Amino acid sequence: MKHLSIFSILIIAFFVSCVPMKTFNDMETDYNKMRDDLAAAKRQTRELGVQNNELNAQVASLSNENSNLLADTTRLSKKVYQLQYELNRNKKVYADLLATYDETAAGSTQEMRDLLQQLQEFQNDLQAGEDALSSTQAALMSKRGALEMTVADLEQAKKSIEERNARILEMERLINQKDSLMNSLQSRVVEAMKGYQGNGLDVHMKDGRLYVSLDEQLLFQSGKWDVDPKGQQALGKLAEVLADNPDIKVLIEGHTDDVPYNGSGQIKDNWDLSVKRATAIVGILLKNKEIAPARITAAGRGEFIPLDPAKTAEARQKNRRTEVILTPDLDELMKVVGGN
């Protein structure tokens, strides 16, 4: 049974190692997108906060302009009323003067001249009043139009702020939810694997992702890719946590040191070895039938992403590792981000 299991893993490893480089590039692209999604969402929240402050300043400015226009409208309305009152009074005086002129038409020439002069003055005042009234009414209509436009702009700005605030709150809720999920997941992984901490296993958070880093000595013999019994036990405990968190995506990366692989047979080089080790761990995790295979991505990174670039035995031992990288499902969050 053990030979059958190892043979199955070998078949998987061989198939993966023959996949065109484009497939690995696609997996790397997907991984990088998952890595950057949360940072992009938080950056978008900060940008929306800046825009929100700008809109608040615009609303304050429009509100002040609105108040000024209301004051101008009130003042001009009073002026129109006053001018209308004076115009009506002047019209009555003018009519009275005309009546007086008719009654005294037979009087002295000087009286007629004085009366005609008064009539002319009142007629000029009347025309000036009518002109002032027309001008004031036109100004009032212009102010009212400007006021209506300002009110419309103000309402639009308020609506925009409300929409942005709603999106910011939703983004913050989702980000906090994801952060809480990952913190809880970290605690569960640490608890489940506490017997292995300091014995070739390290659990830490980085850029919103949870890294479960397993040294070669915990999982594999030198140059081999079949998982040791102790490593299988550790991975079995990790698989239980993953089964309870179906929304977590899993990336398994195999890493080697920079010493060229000198073996023969199915392994060609360090890159090939790192791929086979990653797929071997996939096989161990998928023994738990509650884990959907579609959640898991396996990749070999060879010696090209060392933790320590030094050419020492200690550094090389540190670089020979397998990392199980856990990422939350960010689809819901990215829908909110993409709605801008």
Side-chain angles (χ1 to χ4, degrees), residues 135-185:
S135 176
T136 303
Q137 287 176 330
L140 180 58
M141 292 299 295
S142 176
K143 291 289 186 179
R144 284 177 176 171
L147 177 59
E148 291 173 358
M149 292 180 62
T150 301
V151 170
D153 290 343
L154 180 60
E155 291 301 319
Q156 183 61 39
K158 287 181 178 179
K159 181 180 178 181
S160 180
I161 285 179
E162 290 172 357
E163 292 174 350
R164 290 180 184 276
N165 280 339
R167 290 190 58 231
I168 288 175
L169 290 175
E170 179 63 8
M171 289 172 65
E172 289 179 342
R173 183 188 70 80
L174 291 173
I175 290 173
N176 290 335
Q177 184 182 71
K178 300 305 180 187
D179 288 344
S180 177
L181 171 65
M182 295 308 292
N183 289 332
S184 174
L185 181 64

Side-chain angles (χ1 to χ4, degrees), residues 186 189-190 193 197 201-205 210-213:
Q186 182 179 18
V189 171
V190 169
M193 306 184 74
Q197 289 273 18
L201 180 140
D202 176 63
V203 180
H204 64 277
M205 196 79 71
L210 183 62
Y211 284 71
V212 182
S213 183

Side-chain angles (χ1 to χ4, degrees), residues 57-118:
Q58 183 180 355
V59 167
S61 176
L62 288 173
S63 296
N64 184 59
E65 184 178 352
N66 186 23
S67 298
N68 292 337
L69 287 174
L70 284 173
D72 287 346
T73 299
T74 301
R75 179 179 56 79
L76 289 173
S77 295
K78 290 180 178 179
K79 187 174 181 180
V80 167
Y81 176 80
Q82 180 181 359
L83 289 172
Q84 187 69 57
Y85 173 79
E86 292 178 355
L87 182 61
N88 292 334
R89 186 187 62 182
N90 287 339
K91 285 181 177 180
K92 185 178 184 304
V93 172
Y94 185 67
D96 292 341
L97 286 173
L98 284 176
T100 302
Y101 173 75
D102 291 338
E103 292 175 358
T104 61
S108 67
T109 302
Q110 185 60 45
E111 290 176 348
M112 290 180 62
R113 290 197 187 103
D114 293 341
L115 188 56
L116 285 172
Q117 184 177 356
Q118 291 181 36

Side-chain angles (χ1 to χ4, degrees), residues 195-294:
Y196 303 94
Q197 289 273 18
N199 295 311
L201 180 140
D202 176 63
V203 180
H204 64 277
M205 196 79 71
K206 179 182 177 183
D207 298 330
R209 296 170 295 162
L210 183 62
Y211 284 71
V212 182
S213 183
L214 303 106
D215 290 350
E216 178 190 55
Q217 62 186 5
L218 177 62
L219 298 176
F220 308 104
Q221 296 181 13
S222 178
K224 305 296 183 180
W225 62 89
D226 50 327
V227 182
D228 291 341
K230 186 176 181 180
Q232 291 189 34
Q233 292 177 1
L235 292 172
K237 293 183 178 298
L238 177 61
E240 292 176 4
V241 178
L242 296 179
D244 292 336
N245 293 269
D247 292 332
I248 296 297
K249 297 180 181 180
V250 184
L251 173 66
I252 300 171
E253 289 188 343
H255 298 263
T256 68
D257 58 26
D258 61 349
V259 177
Y261 180 76
N262 293 321
S264 60
Q266 298 183 48
I267 300 296
K268 295 178 293 184
D269 51 28
N270 281 335
W271 206 322
D272 197 14
L273 177 61
S274 67
V275 170
K276 285 178 167 58
R277 285 182 169 181
T279 55
I281 291 179
V282 171
I284 300 298
L285 293 178
L286 290 182
K287 288 181 179 180
N288 189 318
K289 301 304 181 183
E290 296 183 21
I291 299 177

